[in-house]
Amino acid sequence: MTDEVSAVTEETEPPVLTAATVTLVEGRTFCVSGTSGGMEAEVPQGTFFRDVRVIPDWQIRVDGHRPHHLTVLSQDACSTTLVSLVPTHGAQSELLPERRRYVGEGMREDLRLRDLSTRLMRPDPA
């Protein structure tokens, strides 16, 4: 008789969704993101169609900054509005990105950037 010793392999735990996620579902499509609307490929987030992740990473930046979550205004199971603010250096933030997201046979997102300041903004010459 021979003794066989099984090799023990250490398994890592899969990433876990935190309470700070937003999930939209319509038919075979679903979308999981953070509360500011961003999706990161390293965690179980993204847009999935027929159990295949078709959008693993989805981020916006305003002037190089990622927006911070303010609120989520859910309309129904397949659409929501995510309202954020853009962090600024020392001053009160006056830019509010609004992301209106819909899922169906894919994902659609309408982005609206609201400027609450009273000063005149001019685009940078390119």
Side-chain angles (χ1 to χ4, degrees):
M1 245 182 152
T2 60
D3 255 340
E4 291 186 27
V5 177
S6 301
V8 177
T9 57
E10 186 175 314
E11 293 184 28
T12 59
E13 291 293 320
V16 179
L17 289 176
T18 65
T21 59
V22 175
T23 303
L24 301 176
V25 179
E26 174 63 30
R28 294 181 156 189
T29 304
F30 65 97
C31 175
V32 180
S33 72
T35 54
S36 65
M39 297 177 226
E40 297 184 32
E42 297 80 30
V43 294
Q45 294 180 347
T47 298
F48 299 80
F49 179 68
R50 295 185 178 183
D51 292 330
V52 175
R53 184 160 66 164
V54 293
I55 302 175
D57 196 55
W58 189 261
Q59 302 290 329
I60 63 169
R61 290 190 186 344
V62 178
D63 199 20
H65 300 284
R66 282 187 180 183
H68 292 280
H69 161 74
L70 279 181
T71 192
V72 177
L73 307 169
S74 294
Q75 283 87 33
D76 52 42
C78 63
S79 64
T80 194
T81 300
L82 305 131
V83 182
S84 303
L85 62 89
V86 177
T88 57
H89 301 289
Q92 182 177 2
S93 180
E94 297 170 330
L95 295 175
L96 295 175
E98 288 181 10
R99 303 167 88 159
R100 292 191 175 176
R101 184 172 293 162
Y102 313 88
V103 295
E105 296 263 332
M107 182 186 86
R108 172 182 164 179
E109 184 169 279
D110 299 326
L111 177 64
R112 177 178 164 192
L113 184 61
R114 296 176 60 197
D115 184 358
L116 303 178
S117 72
T118 57
R119 58 178 197 254
L120 181 62
M121 301 292 286
R122 295 188 186 200
D124 290 335

